[in-house]
Amino acid sequence: MNRRDLPWKCPEKIIPGLILFCAVLTGCSLGPRALKGNRLDYNVSVQRSNNEELLINLVRAKYYEQLFFLQVGSISSSFSYTANAGLTGTLFHKGSDLWADTMNPSLGAGYGERPTITYSPIQGEEALKQLMEEITLDRFLILIRMGLGIEALMWTFVDTIGELHNYEPGIATGEAELYGKFLDLAEIFGRMQARGDIEFVGFDKEGKGTMQLRYTGTDEADKVEELLGIGPERINAPDGKIISVIKLTPVRDLTFGLDKTARNDTMTIKLKSCFGILQDLARNVEVPEEEMERGIARKTASSSDNLVHREGLHRGLVRIRYSETRPKEAYVSVFYRGRWYYIPDDDAKSKVFFLLVGTLFSLQSGELHTAKPLLTLPVSP
């Protein structure tokens, strides 16, 4: 058979090109490019998943349902690359000669990814302890040093400070007055933080710490000390400000027999638990009125007239709305109980407090012991 007898001419010019293509493709390093794109995708997906999990637990709290969390244990991914080249043809005999009817070159390349995600159920005695125990002062300090406003932190995480109480549903008249003073103190601390005149020095192994306050004058110092019921030593600074140092001590149990007339430099503070924070925020999950009337969901207690004009927990820190259809512009949304629950993307206040709680849960989860075995999900491409 002569080469000129073949209808498909000059295969020798094509085959080397195929071989060169396969060699180049096999030698390419696609790892850096895969890392550049996929790492960001995983990052965004985990963040969105964490927000959705926190939101759905707020909705569960509204419906008297058990809270449940899954922690992302690890994410691993493997990549595979394939390349091939070939030449196919149809040959037949005609007499004593071999003829080629058709000859077709082929090229192929493949790229695959196989991610594996592990989830750890957060449960057991230790997990329950972490969710139910009050937040420690050192974690509160971490949030302050992150630049978060102390006024918002007091609304969200503080249960009592001195003799002042944060909001409770169905608050009595006398306690409502203390709650109003609690808001006054939070507002003053917020102004002082904005001026850079409030500083937390640190905490010891027992959870006790020190707070240094710099007042603009005696009026501000008198007001704060009156609200807290303390009388620390005052130092006149060269710039005309008044400096006082207050000791912070956590209160985990009911204390009886305190002499309320005694004035000292110690301020007691009781922080909430993660469970208590979720229960507080769940008050402002919007659900159909009929479900609250039937007792399916928790009913929101109405505020007294003297508190309606004040900002605070009773006005709702995180407002979660519902819709029968999927919301178009939502910061976070979940589908649950046949409807969509979401936080609008333009609701800045709800987003800020939602971020606060999410940050706290990230801090708390560092000490949680997760249940085993882990749930491992291989994901097919």
Side-chain angles (χ1 to χ4, degrees):
M1 178 186 65
N2 297 325
R3 193 174 296 278
R4 65 177 180 272
D5 295 329
L6 298 176
W8 187 64
K9 306 293 184 180
C10 302
E12 67 276 5
K13 296 182 179 180
I14 302 297
I15 294 177
L18 297 178
I19 297 175
L20 178 62
F21 169 79
C22 293
V24 172
L25 183 62
T26 304
C28 287
S29 177
L30 299 181
R33 279 179 286 176
L35 176 63
K36 180 180 179 181
N38 293 355
R39 179 171 181 173
L40 180 60
D41 292 339
Y42 286 129
N43 185 295
V44 173
S45 296
V46 171
Q47 179 201 33
R48 183 184 300 115
S49 177
N50 287 342
N51 286 342
E52 291 171 350
E53 183 178 63
L54 180 56
L55 177 59
I56 200 171
N57 276 290
L58 286 173
V59 177
R60 284 170 176 161
K62 182 72 173 183
Y63 282 100
Y64 304 104
E65 295 178 355
Q66 181 181 3
L67 308 183
F68 187 74
F69 292 89
L70 277 176
Q71 195 173 36
V72 178
S74 64
I75 301 175
S76 61
S77 186
S78 60
F79 304 93
S80 61
Y81 317 96
T82 59
N84 59 75
L87 185 66
T88 61
T90 302
L91 305 177
F92 65 92
H93 283 277
K94 184 177 181 181
S96 60
D97 296 327
L98 180 64
W99 287 74
D101 185 27
T102 59
M103 276 197 168
N104 299 312
S106 62
L107 300 174
Y111 164 78
E113 178 186 3
R114 295 183 62 85
T116 300
I117 306 172
T118 60
Y119 296 102
S120 309
I122 300 178
Q123 57 188 25
E125 181 180 354
E126 186 65 23
L128 181 62
K129 181 180 178 182
Q130 292 290 338
L131 290 174
M132 298 301 295
E133 276 191 344
E134 70 176 66
I135 304 163
T136 57
L137 281 172
D138 59 334
R139 276 173 167 69
F140 190 74
L141 176 61
I142 290 174
L143 295 173
I144 292 176
R145 288 180 173 172
M146 287 174 59
L148 302 174
I150 190 172
E151 187 174 6
L153 292 174
M154 288 181 62
W155 290 355
T156 313
F157 302 134
V158 175
D159 187 22
T160 63
I161 181 168
E163 297 295 322
L164 308 180
H165 294 264
N166 205 338
Y167 179 77
E168 291 291 341
I171 193 168
T173 303
E175 294 176 337
E177 182 180 355
L178 294 176
Y179 173 58
K181 293 180 178 180
F182 177 91
L183 295 179
D184 291 338
L185 181 65
E187 183 180 356
I188 295 173
F189 279 174
R191 291 198 304 264
M192 296 180 68
Q193 183 188 36
R195 302 194 312 254
D197 286 341
I198 185 170
E199 181 180 356
F200 292 84
V201 179
F203 299 93
D204 57 23
K205 295 181 179 179
E206 297 180 354
K208 298 180 180 180
T210 304
M211 180 172 63
Q212 180 176 281
L213 302 175
R214 290 182 291 272
Y215 304 108
T216 55
T218 55
D219 290 343
E220 189 175 57
D222 291 342
K223 182 64 175 178
V224 170
E225 292 177 7
E226 178 187 355
L227 290 171
L228 292 175
I230 60 176
E233 182 182 356
R234 298 180 181 182
I235 302 174
N236 294 319
D239 60 358
K241 291 187 176 181
I242 298 175
I243 301 175
S244 66
V245 177
I246 299 175
K247 297 177 182 178
L248 301 175
T249 181
V251 178
R252 294 185 175 88
D253 303 300
L254 292 176
T255 305
F256 300 94
L258 289 178
D259 183 5
K260 297 182 181 181
T261 62
R263 299 178 61 84
N264 50 53
D265 61 351
T266 300
M267 180 181 71
T268 58
I269 182 170
K270 181 176 177 61
L271 300 176
K272 297 182 179 181
S273 65
C274 289
F275 181 81
I277 293 170
L278 288 178
Q279 296 297 323
D280 286 338
L281 298 181
R283 298 192 194 112
N284 295 283
V285 176
E286 295 182 357
V287 298
E289 188 70 25
E290 182 218 3
E291 293 186 347
M292 288 193 292
E293 294 297 332
R294 292 171 55 194
I296 298 176
R298 294 168 55 189
K299 202 168 185 178
T300 304
S302 58
S303 302
S304 56
D305 293 337
N306 61 334
L307 292 179
V308 171
H309 68 285
R310 300 296 303 272
E311 289 288 342
L313 279 173
H314 64 280
R315 296 293 298 269
L317 302 179
V318 176
R319 182 184 178 189
I320 299 171
R321 308 179 189 184
Y322 76 90
S323 172
E324 302 300 330
T325 59
R326 184 166 191 164
K328 293 182 179 179
E329 295 183 358
Y331 170 68
V332 57
S333 63
V334 292
F335 187 76
Y336 195 65
R337 283 181 165 261
R339 65 180 65 92
W340 287 92
Y341 291 91
Y342 69 100
I343 295 176
D345 201 24
D346 59 357
D347 187 351
K349 180 181 177 181
S350 293
K351 290 166 64 174
V352 167
F353 284 97
F354 192 82
L355 171 64
L356 283 180
V357 178
T359 302
L360 175 66
F361 269 75
S362 297
L363 291 174
Q364 291 287 92
S365 64
E367 295 183 0
L368 291 179
H369 294 278
T370 54
K372 296 182 179 180
L374 302 179
L375 175 61
T376 304
L377 299 180
V379 183
S380 300

